[in-house]
Structure formats: structure tokens, C-alpha cells
Amino acid sequence: MSKATRTDPQPPAPHGADSHDLIRVLGARENNLKDVSIEIPKRRLTVFTGVSGSGKSSLVFNTIAAESQRLINETYSSFVQGFMPTLARPEVDVLEGLTTAIIVDQQRMGSDPRSTVGTATDANAMLRILFSRLGKPHIGPPSAYAFNVPSVKASGAITVERGAKKAVKATFNRTGGMCVRCEGRGTVSDIDLTQLYDDSKSLNEGAITIPGYGSDGWNMRLYKESGFVDPDKAIRKYTKKELHDFLHHEPVRMKIAGINMTYEGLIPRIQKSMLSKDKEAMQPHIRAFVDRAVAFTTCPECDGTRLSEGARSSKIKRISIADACAMQISDLAAWVRDLDEPSVAPLLSALQQTLDSFVEIGLGYLALNRPAGTLSGGEAQRVKMIRHLGSSLTDVTYVFDEPTAGLHPHDIQRMNDLLLRLRDKGNTVLVVEHKPETIVIADHVVDLGPGAGTGGGSVCFEGTVEELRTGGTVTGRHFDDRASVKETLRKPTGTLEIRGASANNLRDVDVDVPLGVLVVVTGVAGSGKSSLVHGSIPAGEGVVSIDQAPIRGSRRSNPATYTGLLDPIRKAFAKANDVKPALFSANSEGACPTCNGAGVIYTDLAMMAGVATTCEDCEGKRFDASVLEYHLGGRDISEVLAMSVDEAEEFFGAGEAHTPAAQRVLGRLADVGLGYLTLGQPLTTLSGGERQRLKLATHLGDKGGVYVLDEPTTGLHLADVEQLLGLLDRIVDSGKSVIVVEHHQAVMAHADWIIDLGPGAGHDGGRLVFEGTPADLVAARSTLTGEHLAAYVGS
């Protein structure tokens, strides 16, 4: 062919739409971020790492995901936006290339008793349709199998327009599946009257022992001055009618001390004010009262299934919907696979896919009737993931908060495969993570730091995993750290005998837990670790239990109020200035009157996002100007709350401000690695790892001989784990016993004794597969944990 006729095919010019392959962030200043600018590749897996409190969540959740969410909310009509949370624009100069963000975080699911694993996913809805089609005897539509739907009967006249209007008498029925006795909760509450009042006393003698019912409070006045009972008569001497009026009287409006009030019996009153509320959100003394006063027992009518007799009587192949929901999901998947019914083939296929997703993600050991509030943070996160696994959406940004939390090394590989699958569908996957096993699969790594709090908030490194290893950052230096098995082990000072433990999936486990040493309880997710520890070593006399329940804090809560540190500080200020302590609380008398002690003023802009502006009167200090004239050691209260824990420890350690009670609390906060936190920093700005360590610090002061910790390494960077191990050693060396439920190999290697449960999850677990020293476990390699620990320590 001659040169003149030859034409080389020219590559097509790139389409303009294909050039948007980066998420660009310029000048992010949310929380502790210091003007961060960064480019994140789209359709890739990017892992954000750095020590706890370095700003990972501020960048990923509070900036990128929050702005994506805000922009999507703005596409809805003003009417719809009125029902949605108003989101303020994050502190950032430029955000470009954002796509729809789906956040899969570790927030626990609501603790509503009617919320279960089945209702939180589509599994329950599909099962209800299945039973309404195939169940024998047929009892009604899908609602007849729903424990959230009560049966209703009503009758009345309706007007039918057929030529001349005429009224027709009609009866309406709706068949629901709710158990009438427990109203779909599965349990009935029994109130212990001896915890409500002392029947040997009269009301005037302070008979009512419920928190908030003090002798001169309105609650007590309501009963004393109601006229229904004699306030000078001992309760045990009440007539039948008086006792009924005191305990069960229906609500009635009346005037008491010239004020219109509603009088009702003591039991319905506390049911409304205390028992119907989320226990986790209660103040500690009220939660303790509820624990004492209320006993929950399985509903005798439905045997805990939550369903009416009709719903339980309808069966497919001798299995009722209650039986199906009680099955382990892996068994339920096998049962559904055996159902061959062409009339509901698409439904069976969709149900099968959902149940298989549970198994694939390592949650096959759960049952659909498991209350959603009892799931750990890691389990809740994976249940939320199930909704997205079958999704046909692509080009979405998925944001994960430590997806390996609560996972055994054996399960982490499964999670990695799922993250890569989401990426390979053409999605951008952003993961906040500390575990090297997950960081290693990243296409791109962003390391924030170098320290925590004010010492963090900068990007220290961007690049590949290989470049991270040699990058010289804290994460890079610790990336290939491997703990070695301890040479010298402590000798037990005694044993805690557990016999016949059978909570949840445990199979009559007998085990001797050595005391006076560091014991690690491990095993794959769902093997029965928490059931053994929390079921057999209940928190009580001599036992301090620090679980994974989240700290709920408002914008007004901060480390000083949560740990009780503010009390000795207020008293020290009050004593030095000869005024009352309440002045030094921004939630009490000392609050700035303009912003009510919040430090900011929230302006609701109706249809637009609300705006928070710093209060001009107190300049964000939260206190009335007159309060700031009182000093202790040359500082006012707002200056003290602006100190870091380390600074405050020095300040209260000597001189005029010397306050031993405050110093003790501050020492515990520094012990758990929170020395950089500011005393007045709102709890809402703390990361998950920081909140858990704050909880640990608060409980370190409790008087107890046995400390039970549930996965204390959650949210901790590799470098912080060393500090945690040092803290655990100090607790044990002070003469206490520490029992840790944990998957982190560094903690296992550091233990004096290991108890390994398994061999699998759910009904394949619940057995003791190993007990002994870490060295023996590594040498035997007889369990999954043993194999992974041996690989980790390199033996």
C-alpha cells in the first residue's frame, strides 16, 4: 500500500462528560480541619486513615457526604423539605464533582421494641406476602401476618352516589397480626410496686421513692393536694378505692395550688414519663430506677413471637411465619430455596437473594425476629449494607465508617470482597478505616494527622498503599507493626466459674475465667462472645461493664459535663469567689441570657437551611458577662473550658487552682489518650473512638474488681492500640481483673489468657473451642483464631 493512501485511525476525541473523574475539595475547615484541599479519584476505593480524632470523619462525613446530602435535599419541593432535617453548608470553599452519597455508618438502629432485623430490611415484608399467598389456612392479606398492625373492626354509615344519594350501613374490618396482649412487643412489663413507694410511710413522710418525686416538688404536690388520698395516712392502710385512685386513676383535669393540672394514677404517669422513653437517652439515675422497677417477661399469650394466634396458625410446609422469623437466616435461606411454587416465583427469587446477602456478608447467624436495638454497631452497619448490595444504582458515592468493626480477621476478607464489588459496579467507595487488612485493598490512601484534635486536621499523605509504607507518617510507620506473644505471663489470683451458660446460642458452656490477669474472649462474629461475657458476668457488685452502647450527647454536652469533671471545677470557682456553684454552669444560672448558654444562636430560615451564628453578647463563651469576672488561678470559667485535658491537668495540679478531685478525672482522660480534647468541646463533634474512650475514662473511677470491655479498639489507630494495651496493663497491675471481648490480634497476643468460642457463628458456634495462653493457641493452630493469630505474629 502506498503512503499516499494509508490512513491511521485517529483515536476519538475524549467526550467532555468523561473528564469529571475527581471529587475536588478546596479549603475544608469543618471541626479541626485546617484548610484541607484534596482530590479524590472517582470510581475507585479510597481509604482515609489517621489517628483517632485526626479529622477523618470531619472530611468524609461532615464535609463531602454532608454537602452531597444537602444538595440532594434541595432538589425536593419546599413542602417536602419542611419535613427533612435542615442541613447547613459545611465550612469549605469549593466542592466539585460530588455524586449522590449513601452513608453506611455505625449508628445503632433504633431501640424501638417493634423494630427487628426483618423489619429493618425487606425480608419481613416479602415473607408476609409469601404467607398471605401460600399459607394454609388462609387468614387474610399480608397485614394479617404483621405484628405491627392491630386488627380493627368498625361500623358506620357511608354515602354511596348512585343517582340519588343514599346512606348505606357498612362494617369495616382490618385483619392485623399483632398480639393483643403485648401489642407486638413480644414482652410484657411487670412493675415492682416496692420500688415505687415505701408502704409503711405516708406521702407527707416521703413514701414515693421515684426519682423526681421529692417532698416539695410538683410531682409530689399533685398527689398530696389532689384530695383522692390522705397525705398523712401510711399507704399500707389505704382502702381498696384509695389504692386504686393512687395507682391507676384515669387522667382527670383539676386545679392544684391554683394551677390547672392533670391528675392520674402513679403507674400510668411513670409509664408515660419514663417507661415509654429510650433507656439509653435517660440520665443514669433514672435508668438505674427503671432497671430496678420494671421486669420484662416473655408475653404468655404469643410466647414472645409478637403475633396473634391466627397468624401463628397459618403454615407453609408445617412452618408458620413465627417459626420462619425465629430460624437462623442461613437455615431460612435453605428452606426458601426448597419452596417450588411458580405462582410466586419472582417473590421467592427476590427473598432468596436478600437472605443469601445476609449469609454472604457474614450475618447468616442472625434471625429475622432479632430486635434491631440489640445489634452491635458493626452488625447494624452490615444490615444497612444489605439494602445496597442488590441495588442497580451506579456512579454513587458509598461512604463507610469502619466496616470491619466487630469482625474477626476471618470475616474481614468477606467485607473486603463486598467493598471491591461495590467499586467494580462503577461506584466511588470512601472508607474510614484503621485495620491494615482493609487499607491494603485501597486504590488510593489519604492519611490525616499528624496528631489528634488541634494537632491534626492536615493531609499528611496521599497515594498508593506501597507509597504509604515508606511515606514516614504515623500510619506508614505502624502499618507493618506486629505484636509478639508475651514472654512472661501474670499468675491468676483466683477464678470466676461459669457453669452451663446457655444464653442465645451458647451450648451449656463451662469455663473458668482466671482473675487478676488480662483475659481476651474471642471468636468469629456471632460465636457467642458477648452472650458469654454479658450473660454470665452481669454488671453489678464489683463488675464494671463498658459496652458498645453509644454516648448520646446534645450540643450542650461536653467532656466536662459527661465525666462529672464540671462539678469539682464549679465548686472550686464558687469557693474561691464566695458565690454559688450554679453560676459556673452554662446550662444553669450562669448562662448567657441571649443564647441561653449555647454559645450560638440558631436562626430558622423556614424553607432554607437554618443558620448558626456565634452569639454577639458572649462571643461564643456561653456565660453571662458578670460570671466571667470571677477568676480561679487567674482564669475565668470559659478559659478553663477552652483548655485541653493536658493543660487543665497542669492547671488544677498546683497553685491556687489545686483541685485533687478535678485532677483525678483529668488523669483518667489523659490515660485513655484523650489529652488533646478540649474540656468544653461539644460531644456531637467527637469521633466514635473518642466517645468510647471517654466512656472508658468515666468508668475507670468506678469501684469494681472486674472490668468487662467490649471491643475497646473500635475506632483506634494502630498507634493508639499500643497506648490502650498500656492502659489495660496498668488496670491489671493495680490488682483488678480485665476481661476483653476483642478481635484485634495485637490485643490477643498481649493477653495472659485466651478463651476462644466457635467454631462458627449462630448454631454452628456457642462452644468453647480453646482456652489457654496465646502461645499455646498459636502453637496448636486448632481454631480459626489460632490460624490468624499465628499468621499475624509470624510464627
Side-chain angles (χ1 to χ4, degrees):
M1 187 187 293
S2 69
K3 279 189 179 176
T5 57
R6 179 172 174 179
T7 54
D8 287 328
Q10 290 294 313
H15 195 290
D18 296 331
S19 62
H20 301 281
D21 51 4
L22 291 172
I23 294 175
R24 292 178 63 238
V25 181
L26 292 179
R29 296 176 299 280
E30 203 57 35
N31 295 334
N32 67 333
L33 295 178
K34 294 174 179 164
D35 233 8
V36 167
S37 295
I38 189 173
E39 292 186 340
I40 300 162
K42 283 191 189 173
R43 295 175 284 282
R44 295 290 180 272
L45 174 64
T46 301
V47 171
F48 294 79
T49 184
V51 295
S52 179
S54 60
K56 303 180 298 297
S57 297
S58 301
L59 177 60
V60 179
F61 291 95
N62 302 1
T63 304
I64 298 171
E67 179 64 354
S68 170
Q69 196 73 59
R70 188 182 76 84
L71 293 173
I72 288 165
N73 287 5
E74 284 190 355
T75 65
Y76 298 117
S77 68
S78 302
F79 175 73
V80 172
Q81 284 183 50
F83 295 98
M84 303 175 95
T86 50
L87 302 165
R89 188 179 187 279
E91 279 281 306
V92 61
D93 295 333
V94 179
L95 269 173
E96 286 179 352
L98 291 181
T99 69
T100 304
I102 293 175
I103 300 170
V104 189
D105 60 15
Q106 282 192 35
Q107 288 294 319
R108 290 293 188 83
M109 293 194 173
S111 46
D112 186 303
R114 293 202 195 94
S115 177
T116 64
V117 169
T119 59
T121 56
D122 290 334
N124 245 54
M126 290 190 272
L127 266 181
R128 292 200 298 268
I129 298 169
L130 185 69
F131 273 86
S132 71
R133 301 279 176 82
L134 305 180
K136 298 281 188 296
H138 176 74
I139 58 160
S143 62
Y145 298 90
F147 55 75
N148 287 330
V149 180
S151 292
V152 177
K153 283 186 181 168
S155 58
I158 59 170
T159 305
V160 182
E161 289 192 29
R162 288 198 194 113
K165 292 182 182 178
K166 64 178 189 182
V168 179
K169 197 80 173 160
T171 305
F172 309 95
N173 284 326
R174 181 182 68 189
T175 310
M178 181 186 281
C179 166
V180 181
R181 173 81 188 271
C182 66
E183 296 186 338
R185 287 183 170 86
T187 55
V188 285
S189 57
D190 202 7
I191 295 177
D192 180 357
L193 296 180
T194 61
Q195 297 294 336
L196 304 189
Y197 56 81
D198 177 350
D199 69 354
S200 65
K201 293 179 177 175
S202 68
L203 292 182
N204 278 333
E205 291 168 333
I208 301 179
T209 54
I210 302 167
Y213 283 73
S215 55
D216 51 353
W218 274 109
N219 284 325
M220 200 60 155
R221 284 186 71 177
L222 182 68
Y223 289 95
K224 282 185 192 174
E225 300 176 25
S226 64
F228 286 108
V229 291
D230 180 350
D232 293 312
K233 189 173 175 183
I235 292 177
R236 64 170 57 150
K237 293 183 176 165
Y238 281 5
T239 63
K240 212 170 184 178
K241 182 175 185 319
E242 282 177 316
L243 195 60
H244 175 271
D245 287 345
F246 175 52
L247 292 178
H248 302 287
H249 201 289
E250 61 281 351
V252 54
R253 294 290 285 169
M254 61 193 310
K255 250 197 172 87
I256 289 178
I259 295 171
N260 283 325
M261 294 181 78
T262 300
Y263 176 89
E264 63 184 324
L266 192 61
I267 288 177
R269 190 174 169 83
I270 66 157
Q271 272 174 331
K272 282 177 197 160
S273 64
M274 295 182 189
L275 308 188
S276 61
K277 296 203 171 123
D278 177 9
K279 232 166 68 170
E280 276 308 317
M282 292 176 179
Q283 292 170 290
H285 68 289
I286 293 180
R287 193 185 314 159
F289 161 73
V290 171
D291 286 337
R292 284 196 314 272
V294 185
F296 289 96
T297 52
T298 303
C299 172
E301 194 102 343
C302 67
D303 203 18
T305 62
R306 309 154 181 259
L307 290 158
S308 64
E309 195 179 342
R312 299 196 308 272
S313 68
S314 178
K315 299 188 177 181
I316 303 173
K317 289 192 173 177
R318 297 196 297 282
I319 296 284
S320 71
I321 191 166
D323 301 331
C325 289
M327 276 185 196
Q328 188 166 304
I329 288 174
S330 53
D331 296 343
L332 181 59
W335 179 75
V336 170
R337 199 172 282 113
D338 288 344
L339 292 178
D340 182 23
E341 187 58 55
S343 64
V344 287
L347 175 66
L348 284 172
S349 147
L351 179 58
Q352 186 67 59
Q353 206 172 351
T354 301
L355 297 174
D356 286 344
S357 296
F358 273 101
V359 178
E360 187 181 359
I361 209 166
L363 293 178
Y365 60 88
L366 295 177
L368 293 181
N369 65 0
R370 168 92 174 257
T374 64
L375 299 178
S376 69
E379 285 171 334
Q381 187 177 30
R382 283 178 286 152
V383 166
K384 292 175 199 169
M385 261 186 102
I386 284 167
R387 299 176 194 162
H388 306 302
L389 285 179
S391 166
S392 356
L393 291 173
T394 64
D395 240 335
V396 168
T397 300
Y398 283 100
V399 186
F400 289 94
D401 185 11
E402 282 192 69
T404 59
L407 288 187
H408 187 272
H410 171 68
D411 299 314
I412 288 177
Q413 190 54 50
R414 269 176 171 165
M415 179 56 76
N416 286 352
D417 293 341
L418 291 166
L419 294 173
L420 292 170
R421 230 172 74 191
L422 283 173
R423 177 203 67 184
D424 293 344
K425 278 173 68 175
N427 297 307
T428 306
V429 181
L430 308 181
V431 182
V432 172
E433 188 52 85
H434 295 292
K435 297 257 176 80
E437 300 97 314
T438 295
I439 298 173
V440 83
I441 66 165
D443 301 307
H444 189 71
V445 179
V446 177
D447 192 15
L448 286 133
T454 51
S458 304
V459 174
C460 303
F461 168 86
E462 284 184 77
T464 65
V465 176
E466 287 313 312
E467 289 165 347
L468 174 71
R469 282 192 159 105
T470 55
T473 63
V474 177
T475 307
R477 288 200 303 275
H478 288 274
F479 195 77
D480 292 309
D481 277 6
R482 294 293 179 264
S484 51
V485 175
K486 269 202 309 205
E487 296 290 317
T488 54
L489 300 173
R490 300 179 185 91
K491 291 276 178 283
T493 55
T495 53
L496 177 71
E497 290 187 3
I498 295 175
R499 294 289 176 266
S502 55
N504 298 330
N505 65 333
L506 293 175
R507 310 206 171 180
D508 281 338
V509 172
D510 295 339
V511 63
D512 291 335
V513 181
L515 296 175
V517 296
L518 176 58
V519 178
V520 169
V521 180
T522 186
V524 296
S527 58
K529 305 179 297 299
S530 296
S531 303
L532 178 71
V533 172
H534 297 302
S536 308
I537 314 168
E541 203 56 47
V543 177
V544 178
S545 183
I546 303 165
D547 59 15
Q548 283 203 346
I551 291 177
R552 292 172 191 269
S554 70
R555 287 185 292 247
R556 289 177 175 275
S557 313
N558 54 45
T561 57
Y562 182 78
T563 56
L565 170 65
L566 198 57
D567 289 339
I569 291 178
R570 283 198 315 234
K571 283 174 186 159
F573 264 95
K575 191 175 175 189
N577 294 283
D578 201 22
V579 289
K580 51 185 179 179
L583 280 178
F584 302 99
S585 166
N587 296 329
S588 187
E589 288 181 35
C592 162
T594 310
C595 62
N596 288 329
V600 288
I601 292 174
Y602 296 96
T603 311
D604 182 11
L605 299 179
M607 295 308 178
M608 293 163 65
V611 174
T613 49
T614 304
C615 172
E616 288 179 10
D617 285 12
C618 68
E619 296 174 345
K621 291 179 179 174
R622 304 174 59 193
F623 290 91
D624 191 321
S626 61
V627 175
L628 300 181
E629 289 169 14
Y630 299 116
H631 289 79
L632 174 69
R635 303 286 186 98
D636 65 40
I637 183 73
S638 73
E639 289 172 325
V640 169
L641 290 176
M643 288 180 182
S644 70
V645 167
D646 289 338
E647 288 174 273
E649 196 176 3
E650 201 177 313
F651 177 73
F652 288 108
E656 188 203 335
H658 181 56
T659 312
Q663 218 187 345
R664 277 196 295 276
V665 180
L666 290 161
R668 291 197 285 269
L669 285 167
D671 256 359
V672 297
L674 294 177
Y676 61 87
L677 276 192
T678 314
L679 302 188
Q681 186 176 340
L683 283 193
T684 48
T685 64
L686 300 191
S687 69
E690 287 169 332
R691 289 185 189 208
Q692 191 170 19
R693 284 183 290 157
L694 186 62
K695 195 175 190 179
L696 176 58
T698 307
H699 286 291
L700 280 179
D702 292 0
K703 290 180 171 55
V706 180
Y707 278 75
V708 177
L709 309 180
D710 196 349
E711 292 190 49
T713 61
T714 302
L716 286 193
H717 185 266
L718 300 161
D720 297 323
V721 172
E722 285 178 28
Q723 190 170 8
L724 177 76
L725 293 175
L727 173 66
L728 296 180
D729 279 341
R730 287 199 296 281
I731 297 174
V732 176
D733 294 339
S734 71
K736 315 228 186 246
S737 305
V738 177
I739 301 165
V740 184
V741 174
E742 191 52 85
H743 295 292
H744 202 294
Q745 288 112 316
V747 182
M748 291 181 209
H750 199 75
D752 296 304
W753 194 256
I754 284 189
I755 294 169
D756 193 11
L757 295 174
H763 58 46
D764 299 324
R767 297 187 185 88
L768 183 68
V769 290
F770 175 86
E771 54 179 326
T773 65
D776 291 344
L777 179 61
V778 167
R781 298 188 189 214
S782 55
T783 69
L784 278 172
T785 306
E787 286 172 28
H788 284 279
L789 188 57
Y792 176 81
V793 298
S795 70

